[in-house]
Amino acid sequence: MTSITTGKASLTMGKALGAGLRRAMADDERVLVMGEDIGKLGGVFRITDGLLDEFGPARVIDTPLAESGIVGTAVGLALRGFRPVVEIQFDGFVYPAFDQIVCQVAKLHYRTRGRVRMPITIRIPWAGGVGAAEHHSESPEAYFVHTAGLRVVAVSNPQDAYTMLRQAIASDDPVVFFEPKRLYHAKGDVDLDAHIADAAPMGLARVVRQGTDVTLLTYGAQVATAMDAATAAEDEGVSIEVIDLRSLSPVDYRTVTASVRKTGRVVITHEAPGEAGMAAELIASITEQCFHHLEAPPLRVTGHDIPYPPAKLEKHHLPDLDRILDAVDRVLDRPNSFPEVAP
Amino acid sequence: MTSITTGKASLTMGKALGAGLRRAMADDERVLVMGEDIGKLGGVFRITDGLLDEFGPARVIDTPLAESGIVGTAVGLALRGFRPVVEIQFDGFVYPAFDQIVCQVAKLHYRTRGRVRMPITIRIPWAGGVGAAEHHSESPEAYFVHTAGLRVVAVSNPQDAYTMLRQAIASDDPVVFFEPKRLYHAKGDVDLDAHIADAAPMGLARVVRQGTDVTLLTYGAQVATAMDAATAAEDEGVSIEVIDLRSLSPVDYRTVTASVRKTGRVVITHEAPGEAGMAAELIASITEQCFHHLEAPPLRVTGHDIPYPPAKLEKHHLPDLDRILDAVDRVLDRPNSFPEVAP
Amino acid sequence: MTYTPTTDAEHRSDLDEPVQLLTPAGERRRDPRLDEWADDLDLDALRGLYRDMTLARRVDAEGVALQRQGQLGLWAPAQGQEAIQVASARACRADDFLFPSYREHGVLLVRGAAPADLVLSWRGEVASTYDPAELRVAPPQIIIGAQTLHAVGYAMGIQRDGADQVAVAYFGDGATSQGDVNEAMVFAASFSAPVVFVCSNNHWAISEPVTVQAAHPIAGRAPGFGIPSMRVDGNDAIACTAAMRWALDHARSGGGPVFLEAVTYRMGPHTTSDDPSRYRSNDEVDRWRAKDPLARLEALLRAEGAFDDAFRADVDADALSYTTQMRSAAIDAVSAPPLSVLDHVYAEPHSGLDEQRRRFSAYLDGFGDDEGGAR
Amino acid sequence: MTYTPTTDAEHRSDLDEPVQLLTPAGERRRDPRLDEWADDLDLDALRGLYRDMTLARRVDAEGVALQRQGQLGLWAPAQGQEAIQVASARACRADDFLFPSYREHGVLLVRGAAPADLVLSWRGEVASTYDPAELRVAPPQIIIGAQTLHAVGYAMGIQRDGADQVAVAYFGDGATSQGDVNEAMVFAASFSAPVVFVCSNNHWAISEPVTVQAAHPIAGRAPGFGIPSMRVDGNDAIACTAAMRWALDHARSGGGPVFLEAVTYRMGPHTTSDDPSRYRSNDEVDRWRAKDPLARLEALLRAEGAFDDAFRADVDADALSYTTQMRSAAIDAVSAPPLSVLDHVYAEPHSGLDEQRRRFSAYLDGFGDDEGGAR
Ligand SMILES: Cc1ncc(C[n+]2csc(CCOP(=O)(O)OP(=O)(O)O)c2C)c(N)n1
Ligand SMILES: Cc1ncc(C[n+]2csc(CCOP(=O)(O)OP(=O)(O)O)c2C)c(N)n1
Ligand SMILES: [Mg+2]
Ligand SMILES: [Mg+2]
């Protein structure tokens, strides 16, 4: 068991998440982690590796195989004053817990007029691109964004993973915390000593690349794809500003609209299907708030409106660099544009 | 037991739905209805009243109290070649069935490359405005619209209720069928003899009022509110075109964009919270398809991003005539407009 | 047809006679399974039970009356179920934590709920009233069965705190069909959580007889999960007290979860919106009327000379005072202002909702003092 | 700590000895509960069982090998579980309908799945291959427990058709914790549906021992739902055959659902991604190796003089032919074209998706023949 606790280190996102959990547990003895296979096995992605040895079975709880049970008992633990961190083994297995999340976790604070708090963090290994089996590559974030009472965040790098997980656990509100599986092994520098209060709040977006022509909004593993697209576009003389939303609910519209007012053109990319997805929310709010600054319709580059396809075909579903650049072309009114649909 | 089967009649929406079910069951013996209290009691809204007597317990199935069980067994019945019509007792009780709906009902056709069909209709008494208790006034439609593989419709009048329910049952795809509780007692003329093939397909929107200045999009019980708003606006010289979407997935964008191209201004109203809701989807698609025709940002008039409030306060949550007219003013750039948020 | 469950609500589950210590006629019985938990119940204790059960019944009648008069949006009558509700809650320690359903008015009463707590949510003014931490009662649950998992989780928390409290989950016969209730049993058994499951089998889930939910007596399900269980006469306040004491003691002393099936009957409609004549016979209701929990306790107290006019007058006065306060709480209720619907969605600032509040507030300001709207 | 389930996988559930008709040493035993269902099994039948189980084991080994060689994305090894899978499926009638989980390769084989059916979905080419209506097998289910409800619904359909088929739901020990599996038992019992639940208790759900899921033997849960059940030695093909015949007969003849717990063991990792050394001992695995289902059947056949080199060679040839075809099916697989990802979302035209197809098709056309992308 390696216990990473201080200093600066180059860590994979997986290790950074583990370090964040360990730190949160060390800082607050009311923090518990629970889920399927998270104890002895350390989770199927090993994120909780070593925690059982370090904190014991009272705080690292291997649960029965039942997601509603996991979230439902977490609600009870929260009522008792604990801060449960729940692991849902894969994105596609969160649905059995949907009722407990939507009707209980999200609503108890409101229903009790603030008397009950639900400081529950629901960690979800998330999204595609890893060649996984059916139900293992889902992007369900819009369901939770549409659910009032939840906060929803998605991380894109080890430092955010470490810091935002601690912030999520420290939040008195429930947080659905999306971890891109595709990035679990991606490395980055992590400052393990930073105080979470000093870090950017979990609710803020980050401009990860400055640009002037097009605002490219995304989150999670798509941030890397967006950065690649921005680099490729630069070669063609197009300057793309890339924003990592980090928080999907609330969205940091201050940062987003500032960029859009500057560029006047927006492309949004995510893996989830587009219909009533996160990009739709962004476009609606951006249009409302920046209409007169827009020089072209904001465009979506998303997964198709299909169930997640088999692994060998996922590359045709996931929005890649080419599809993003195609949209950039269109938003800049360059060739390849699709005509408006005939009425 | 009254058995309404032929001719034209003035019926409440509740009776029209019952007549539609009866007709569908009479036309196709593979049609079954199932749910909690739908047999002897005729459902808590009496929609299935009389069906047990008429068709017997083999086809009108009073189920145990378990929504996942209801939808899960409906999947099995569909695999056996039946066409189950499932009643979820209230909107807020669909979540325990979410996993079966999202992972099974929506996906089985795709997963089997078309070999398995899921002609399941999921009827949901829906939305607020009836002074109901907690969890009885939910508007969960966006969750299903975001789920590829499902069709989603919402009815606004007895004739559509009668016809579209029969179309939904006849469809080889799963349909989530939303019935506004607020309208169960609203009356309207229903042609009981019409062939469903002659009626407008379930997927088409309907222009319920012609207008030239603003396009007002809505569905379900909000159609009536929108019509009231249009009438009130007329007095002030504003001509509103009201479109009843009827189908939420797919949306009939041909009808929608034709109207928007004409008016250049759009207001969308629904009861559900706005964040990542149906209106966001509409705005994103409209902006994409009609950007150069838009003279103002499309505006949303929706429920707040809050859990459904207690009954006595629901009037402050539901978008009423005043809030719609306020948005109409804003979209027409008349006083009362809200300034863009400062960056 | 073989595939239709029997629709007779008094079904197979009555094959196992529930434990009874007080007959419908008011005679005290003995039963070795529970005697040790009942023998110390003196007349004062029985009068206390009677008082609370009477209060529960009057409160229930008042709830129905207020609903009929348009003061409440809805009410879920609990008439007939007073014994299990009151006795089980009275058996609890003040620091145990209870997770009721929407029908457990008697539980709230015993825990000290104020009259307003009984009416304001049914009126639709608020989703819940009392502070759960103060009463040590979760907000009544409407999503069938969801609270059983909360109780188990709470009980897991008790274990972690090294405390000797118990969590109590209340639910109905219909709820036993829900996945959540079964998962609750799985978790409770696996973790030996100090939780008592109290299933009030009132024979009906709206219009569905218990036979639609359970082909086998409900209490028989728990042992298969590794949870000891007991069927108890839910209209017998003495047996309910004793069974609950046994269950609490078992859970409190580290024995793990216990499951009680209280066999009772809902005398009224499911809610004030329901019409039970559509699905059950008057005969059936009459049979159960003969097993009334209050009547039998009164008969016992009378036989023991512990029930006189003064006591009756005293109980009546208490009940009248409480129901009068309920009535005024309903009638005098002032609805919260419009902007309050945005309160308490989050515990911490939320940029999206804060912006929405700003806009809605500006919108509301636009009306000035004119309540009637802008036009 | 009292609140932690025991982590010994061979736990309390072994208190009830499963029914066994063939010992690990290959000796035939008698048991009055099952004899009538086994006595007609002649040597040909036993050789048939052995042949299919061997095929299952080789197919499993080939699946693992293909995954290791990068030909498959994943494989869920079933080694050790051949007896219950093959015997139960062979006991079914061709028109019964089976609902397997991802691990029931043996079930697919018995039902006549083609070699390609065993590899293409694990390779990630398709979500499922065979036509469920043809094999009368639902696509293998990954969402734990979901298929049990499908089986019950299918069985309700059988009743409505007045047919005498049976639906069979396969699932693991871990699945028993899911709400869906318990709801399936509720529905099956309430409607007396002709369904057989086959729970392969292989003692592990990934890293969780069965004791985390069940504080009590799993087969003991069903009777509480009103469902007769039996624990059977899941590594004993004769007992599995007999138990399944009993169960099918019970369900087929209108007796309602039956629950079988097949006590077996997963010899390999949960999937090829798993590392079981992190959570279980070699000792435990070795103890179960001594109970191997194939070895004991071979021993019996040898003792009966019904196992010779010719038979072995014949079985080996069959297996080799099948696994060779599996291998080529994997290696020769051609991935479907990009636009195919939009196929079969809906059975009927869908304006939204049709428009998306038009756009995606135009986009793809933009690349011309150049596979490498537009730039
Ligand atoms: C998840 C869910 N499904 C359906 C309902 C609607 N409903 C409310 S009460 C009820 C019957 C409950 O029966 P039971 O559990 O026996 O409790 P009782 O009402 O008899 O006290 C139903 C179906 C609900 N509240 N929640
Ligand atoms: C709803 C759901 N939750 C979690 C998982 C992840 N998962 C896949 S297999 C498995 C263990 C299943 O154990 P068991 O039911 O005993 O079957 P076995 O794998 O042993 O055959 C888990 C947790 C899943 N597939 N579905
Ligand atoms: Mg009941
Ligand atoms: Mg297992």
Side-chain angles (χ1 to χ4, degrees):
Chain A
M1 196 204 74
T2 41
S3 184
I4 307 143
T5 43
T6 56
K8 291 199 194 241
S10 172
L11 297 180
T12 62
M13 177 181 287
K15 290 276 180 220
L17 289 163
L21 281 173
R22 182 171 290 112
R23 179 68 181 269
M25 294 185 79
D27 286 353
D28 182 350
E29 60 174 22
R30 305 304 280 177
V31 175
L32 309 173
V33 303
M34 55 196 294
E36 297 157 9
D37 305 295
I38 57 112
K40 229 173 180 181
L41 187 64
V44 294
F45 294 105
R46 307 290 185 270
I47 307 302
T48 54
D49 194 22
L51 296 180
L52 177 61
D53 285 346
E54 196 166 333
F55 299 102
R59 297 184 62 197
V60 180
I61 310 175
D62 265 320
T63 65
L65 206 178
E67 289 77 11
S68 188
I70 295 169
V71 175
T73 52
V75 169
L77 283 158
L79 282 167
R80 177 82 194 177
F82 289 90
R83 306 183 85 85
V85 183
V86 160
E87 176 173 304
I88 299 293
Q89 195 161 83
F90 276 87
D91 36 54
F93 310 144
V94 71
Y95 306 120
F98 203 70
D99 178 58
Q100 286 285 348
I101 296 174
V102 166
C103 295
Q104 309 295 331
V105 174
K107 290 185 177 158
L108 265 162
H109 188 67
Y110 189 74
R111 281 160 67 194
T112 59
R113 294 185 296 164
R115 277 162 172 151
V116 160
R117 301 201 161 189
M118 284 286 119
I120 298 176
T121 302
I122 301 176
R123 292 182 40 238
I124 306 187
W126 167 62
V130 294
E134 237 190 318
H135 306 292
H136 289 71
S137 303
E138 304 271 305
S139 290
E141 62 269 22
Y143 297 131
F144 301 107
V145 171
H146 186 54
T147 305
L150 301 176
R151 293 176 189 269
V152 183
V153 302
V155 295
S156 68
N157 62 74
Q159 178 70 62
D160 276 358
Y162 177 73
T163 309
M164 289 170 70
L165 182 52
R166 291 170 58 208
Q167 290 172 326
I169 295 169
S171 169
D172 274 347
D173 290 316
V175 180
V176 183
F177 191 94
F178 285 105
E179 306 171 357
K181 292 189 284 283
R182 229 196 298 176
L183 298 185
Y184 273 145
H185 298 289
K187 276 202 164 187
D189 285 340
V190 180
D191 175 357
L192 294 159
D193 294 328
H195 286 282
I196 51 174
D198 297 340
M202 187 174 70
L204 292 192
R206 181 184 297 127
V207 178
V208 285
R209 182 189 170 111
Q210 308 259 358
T212 51
D213 299 334
V214 176
T215 298
L216 180 52
L217 301 174
T218 192
Y219 51 93
Q222 279 297 97
V223 172
T225 316
M227 291 297 276
D228 289 347
T231 305
E234 192 171 36
D235 295 344
E236 305 192 11
V238 176
S239 165
I240 297 185
E241 176 144 309
V242 179
I243 296 182
D244 177 359
L245 291 173
R246 299 184 353 131
S247 175
L248 307 184
S249 181
V251 166
D252 173 9
Y253 279 116
R254 203 168 276 265
T255 300
V256 167
T257 56
S259 174
V260 174
R261 289 208 175 79
K262 181 172 68 176
T263 63
R265 299 175 199 271
V266 188
V267 172
I268 304 165
T269 181
H270 58 58
E271 293 187 21
E275 193 176 9
M278 191 62 212
E281 162 57 31
L282 291 161
I283 293 175
S285 291
I286 288 169
T287 307
E288 187 184 19
Q289 295 180 38
C290 310
F291 184 71
H292 298 291
H293 294 85
L294 285 176
E295 314 211 17
L299 294 182
R300 289 180 270 194
V301 186
T302 69
H304 308 294
D305 289 323
I306 62 174
Y308 202 86
K312 290 276 183 193
L313 306 179
E314 68 181 336
K315 60 177 174 289
H316 308 308
H317 176 63
L318 297 174
D320 60 7
L321 182 134
D322 285 322
R323 282 175 62 203
I324 294 173
L325 291 176
D326 174 70
V328 167
D329 283 346
R330 285 187 285 138
V331 88
L332 287 166
D333 237 335
R334 308 201 314 177
N336 284 339
S337 287
F338 291 91
E340 283 191 7
V341 188
Chain B
M1 195 204 77
T2 40
S3 184
I4 305 142
T5 43
T6 56
K8 291 200 196 240
S10 172
L11 297 180
T12 62
M13 177 182 285
K15 291 277 181 220
L17 289 162
L21 281 173
R22 182 171 292 112
R23 179 68 180 270
M25 294 185 78
D27 286 353
D28 182 350
E29 61 174 21
R30 304 304 279 177
V31 175
L32 309 174
V33 303
M34 55 196 296
E36 296 157 9
D37 305 295
I38 57 114
K40 230 175 180 179
L41 187 64
V44 294
F45 294 104
R46 307 289 184 272
I47 306 303
T48 54
D49 195 23
L51 296 181
L52 178 61
D53 285 347
E54 197 166 334
F55 299 103
R59 297 184 62 196
V60 180
I61 310 175
D62 265 321
T63 65
L65 206 177
E67 289 77 11
S68 189
I70 295 169
V71 174
T73 52
V75 169
L77 283 158
L79 282 167
R80 179 80 194 178
F82 289 91
R83 306 183 85 84
V85 184
V86 160
E87 176 173 303
I88 298 293
Q89 195 161 83
F90 276 87
D91 35 55
F93 309 144
V94 71
Y95 306 120
F98 204 70
D99 177 59
Q100 285 285 349
I101 297 174
V102 167
C103 295
Q104 308 295 331
V105 174
K107 291 184 176 158
L108 265 161
H109 188 67
Y110 190 73
R111 281 160 68 193
T112 59
R113 293 185 297 164
R115 277 161 172 152
V116 160
R117 302 201 159 188
M118 284 286 119
I120 297 176
T121 302
I122 301 176
R123 293 181 40 238
I124 306 186
W126 166 62
V130 295
E134 237 190 319
H135 305 292
H136 289 71
S137 303
E138 304 271 304
S139 290
E141 63 269 21
Y143 296 131
F144 301 107
V145 171
H146 186 55
T147 304
L150 301 177
R151 292 176 190 269
V152 184
V153 302
V155 294
S156 67
N157 62 73
Q159 178 70 63
D160 276 357
Y162 177 73
T163 309
M164 288 169 69
L165 182 52
R166 291 171 57 209
Q167 290 171 326
I169 295 169
S171 169
D172 274 347
D173 290 316
V175 180
V176 183
F177 192 93
F178 285 105
E179 306 171 356
K181 292 188 284 284
R182 228 196 300 176
L183 299 184
Y184 273 145
H185 297 290
K187 276 200 163 188
D189 286 338
V190 180
D191 176 357
L192 293 158
D193 294 328
H195 286 283
I196 51 174
D198 297 340
M202 189 173 70
L204 292 192
R206 181 185 297 128
V207 179
V208 284
R209 181 188 170 113
Q210 308 259 358
T212 51
D213 298 333
V214 175
T215 298
L216 180 52
L217 301 174
T218 191
Y219 51 92
Q222 278 297 96
V223 172
T225 316
M227 291 297 276
D228 290 347
T231 306
E234 193 173 34
D235 295 345
E236 303 193 12
V238 176
S239 165
I240 297 185
E241 177 145 308
V242 180
I243 296 182
D244 177 359
L245 291 172
R246 301 185 349 132
S247 175
L248 307 184
S249 181
V251 167
D252 172 10
Y253 278 115
R254 202 168 276 267
T255 299
V256 168
T257 56
S259 175
V260 175
R261 289 206 175 80
K262 181 172 70 178
T263 63
R265 299 177 200 270
V266 188
V267 172
I268 304 165
T269 181
H270 58 57
E271 293 186 22
E275 194 177 7
M278 191 62 212
E281 162 57 31
L282 291 162
I283 293 175
S285 291
I286 289 168
T287 307
E288 187 184 18
Q289 296 180 37
C290 311
F291 184 70
H292 298 290
H293 294 85
L294 286 176
E295 313 211 17
L299 292 183
R300 290 180 269 193
V301 186
T302 69
H304 308 295
D305 289 322
I306 61 175
Y308 202 86
K312 290 276 183 193
L313 306 179
E314 67 180 337
K315 60 176 175 291
H316 307 308
H317 176 62
L318 297 174
D320 60 7
L321 182 134
D322 285 323
R323 283 174 62 203
I324 293 172
L325 290 176
D326 174 70
V328 167
D329 283 347
R330 285 186 283 137
V331 87
L332 286 165
D333 238 334
R334 308 200 317 176
N336 284 338
S337 286
F338 290 90
E340 283 192 8
V341 188
Chain C
M1 256 168 282
T2 57
Y3 51 80
T4 314
T6 161
T7 50
D8 177 7
E10 276 161 287
H11 74 321
R12 294 160 259 183
S13 77
D14 291 326
L15 295 176
D16 285 19
E17 271 305 310
V19 185
Q20 192 181 67
L21 299 178
L22 180 63
T23 69
E27 282 150 28
R28 192 69 170 77
R29 265 201 197 165
R30 296 188 63 74
D31 188 305
R33 287 169 293 180
L34 285 181
D35 281 339
E36 63 170 307
W37 300 101
D39 281 347
D40 69 325
L41 281 176
D42 58 17
L43 291 175
D44 262 5
L46 297 180
R47 287 173 16 141
L49 275 168
Y50 181 85
R51 176 187 299 267
D52 283 358
M53 286 163 61
T54 304
L55 188 55
R57 181 157 298 181
R58 299 285 172 79
V59 160
D60 194 61
E62 187 65 23
V64 172
L66 285 168
Q67 196 281 338
R68 296 283 179 241
Q69 292 155 25
Q71 290 298 331
L72 304 183
L74 192 74
W75 183 262
Q79 195 197 328
Q81 303 181 216
E82 295 88 354
I84 179 60
Q85 293 189 2
V86 165
S88 64
R90 283 175 62 102
C92 291
R93 233 167 52 184
D95 61 344
D96 293 333
F97 206 103
L98 282 49
F99 293 79
S101 86
Y102 46 86
R103 204 184 298 285
E104 264 89 22
H105 317 307
V107 170
L108 299 193
L109 282 175
V110 171
R111 298 299 278 196
D117 294 333
L118 271 295
V119 292
L120 291 183
S121 64
W122 293 104
R123 188 178 162 86
E125 300 291 356
V126 292
S128 75
T129 47
Y130 55 84
D131 184 349
E134 204 179 289
L135 251 56
R136 307 195 66 75
V137 182
Q141 182 63 251
I142 284 182
I143 300 294
I144 299 295
Q147 75 279 16
T148 58
L149 283 167
H150 307 169
V152 174
Y154 192 94
M156 290 165 67
I158 292 172
Q159 293 177 304
R160 278 154 183 78
D161 287 338
D164 68 347
Q165 294 143 300
V166 175
V168 181
Y170 288 94
F171 53 101
D173 46 302
T176 61
S177 292
Q178 283 285 6
D180 272 9
V181 174
N182 293 281
E183 294 187 10
M185 290 198 271
V186 169
F187 276 67
S190 288
F191 296 114
S192 271
V195 60
V196 176
F197 296 102
V198 180
C199 176
S200 291
N201 173 4
N202 64 7
H203 287 79
W204 292 94
I206 311 186
S207 74
E208 306 291 2
V210 59
T211 44
V212 168
Q213 323 290 344
H216 192 77
I218 288 173
R221 200 175 292 177
F225 289 85
I227 301 177
S229 74
M230 191 180 283
R231 293 193 91 203
V232 61
D233 181 339
N235 287 12
D236 168 352
I238 299 179
C240 288
T241 302
M244 190 67 181
R245 287 168 158 195
W246 162 71
L248 288 164
D249 179 73
H250 183 96
R252 201 182 307 287
S253 56
V258 180
F259 189 106
L260 295 184
E261 177 191 358
V263 180
T264 179
Y265 196 79
R266 156 165 67 71
M267 298 300 293
H270 170 69
T271 65
T272 45
S273 304
D274 181 39
D275 172 10
S277 74
R278 293 179 73 103
Y279 54 79
R280 68 185 190 186
S281 68
N282 285 337
D283 273 11
E284 183 180 300
V285 179
D286 288 342
R287 277 202 303 280
W288 279 93
R289 201 181 314 282
K291 304 184 193 174
D292 186 66
L294 269 78
R296 64 173 93 172
L297 196 51
E298 179 175 335
L300 175 67
L301 287 170
R302 282 197 190 281
E304 301 283 338
F307 195 103
D308 56 18
D309 289 352
F311 176 60
R312 155 123 291 161
D314 199 39
V315 171
D316 283 348
D318 276 8
L320 185 64
S321 151
Y322 198 95
T323 55
T324 307
Q325 290 175 67
M326 274 173 74
R327 175 164 293 264
S328 0
I331 292 171
D332 300 343
V334 177
S335 296
L339 210 53
S340 73
V341 299
L342 298 172
D343 293 345
H344 302 305
V345 181
Y346 298 94
E348 298 176 358
H350 184 283
S351 60
L353 203 62
D354 294 345
E355 169 61 16
Q356 237 167 84
R357 176 186 301 276
R358 194 187 66 76
R359 293 190 187 201
F360 190 45
S361 171
Y363 168 80
L364 292 169
D365 288 349
F367 292 107
D369 289 336
D370 178 9
E371 251 273 336
R375 291 154 210 270
Chain D
M1 255 168 281
T2 58
Y3 51 81
T4 314
T6 160
T7 49
D8 177 6
E10 277 163 285
H11 75 324
R12 294 159 259 182
S13 77
D14 290 328
L15 294 177
D16 285 20
E17 271 303 312
V19 185
Q20 192 182 67
L21 299 178
L22 179 64
T23 70
E27 283 150 26
R28 192 70 170 75
R29 265 203 197 164
R30 296 188 61 77
D31 189 304
R33 289 169 292 179
L34 286 182
D35 280 339
E36 62 171 306
W37 301 101
D39 281 348
D40 69 326
L41 281 177
D42 57 19
L43 291 175
D44 262 4
L46 297 181
R47 289 177 10 144
L49 275 169
Y50 183 85
R51 175 187 301 266
D52 283 357
M53 286 163 61
T54 303
L55 187 56
R57 180 158 297 182
R58 300 285 172 79
V59 160
D60 194 61
E62 186 66 23
V64 173
L66 284 168
Q67 195 281 336
R68 296 285 179 240
Q69 292 156 23
Q71 289 298 331
L72 304 182
L74 192 75
W75 182 262
Q79 193 195 330
Q81 304 181 215
E82 295 88 354
I84 179 60
Q85 293 188 3
V86 165
S88 64
R90 283 174 61 101
C92 290
R93 231 166 54 185
D95 62 344
D96 293 333
F97 206 104
L98 281 48
F99 293 80
S101 85
Y102 46 87
R103 203 183 298 284
E104 263 88 24
H105 317 306
V107 170
L108 299 193
L109 281 176
V110 171
R111 298 300 278 196
D117 295 333
L118 271 295
V119 293
L120 290 184
S121 65
W122 293 104
R123 187 177 163 86
E125 300 290 356
V126 291
S128 75
T129 47
Y130 55 84
D131 183 350
E134 204 180 288
L135 251 55
R136 307 195 66 75
V137 181
Q141 182 63 249
I142 284 181
I143 300 294
I144 299 294
Q147 75 279 16
T148 58
L149 283 167
H150 306 167
V152 174
Y154 192 94
M156 291 165 65
I158 292 172
Q159 293 178 304
R160 278 155 183 79
D161 287 336
D164 70 345
Q165 295 143 303
V166 176
V168 181
Y170 288 94
F171 52 102
D173 46 303
T176 61
S177 292
Q178 284 284 6
D180 272 9
V181 174
N182 294 280
E183 294 187 10
M185 288 198 271
V186 169
F187 276 67
S190 288
F191 297 113
S192 270
V195 59
V196 175
F197 295 102
V198 179
C199 176
S200 292
N201 173 4
N202 64 7
H203 287 79
W204 292 94
I206 310 187
S207 74
E208 307 291 3
V210 59
T211 44
V212 168
Q213 322 289 345
H216 192 78
I218 287 174
R221 201 175 290 177
F225 289 84
I227 300 177
S229 74
M230 190 180 283
R231 293 193 90 204
V232 60
D233 180 340
N235 285 12
D236 167 352
I238 299 179
C240 288
T241 301
M244 190 66 181
R245 285 168 158 194
W246 162 71
L248 288 165
D249 179 72
H250 183 96
R252 201 184 305 287
S253 56
V258 180
F259 189 106
L260 296 183
E261 176 192 355
V263 181
T264 179
Y265 196 79
R266 157 165 69 71
M267 297 301 293
H270 170 69
T271 65
T272 45
S273 304
D274 182 39
D275 172 10
S277 74
R278 293 180 72 103
Y279 54 79
R280 69 184 190 186
S281 67
N282 285 337
D283 274 11
E284 184 180 300
V285 180
D286 287 342
R287 277 202 303 281
W288 279 94
R289 203 182 314 280
K291 305 184 192 174
D292 185 67
L294 269 79
R296 65 174 94 173
L297 196 52
E298 180 176 334
L300 176 68
L301 287 170
R302 282 197 191 280
E304 301 281 338
F307 195 104
D308 56 20
D309 289 352
F311 176 60
R312 156 124 290 162
D314 198 39
V315 171
D316 284 348
D318 276 7
L320 185 64
S321 150
Y322 198 95
T323 55
T324 307
Q325 290 175 67
M326 273 173 75
R327 174 164 293 265
S328 7
I331 292 172
D332 301 343
V334 178
S335 295
L339 210 54
S340 74
V341 298
L342 298 171
D343 293 345
H344 302 305
V345 181
Y346 298 94
E348 298 176 0
H350 185 283
S351 60
L353 203 62
D354 295 344
E355 170 60 17
Q356 236 167 85
R357 177 187 300 276
R358 192 186 67 75
R359 292 189 188 202
F360 190 45
S361 170
Y363 168 80
L364 293 169
D365 287 349
F367 291 105
D369 289 337
D370 177 9
E371 251 273 335
R375 290 153 210 273

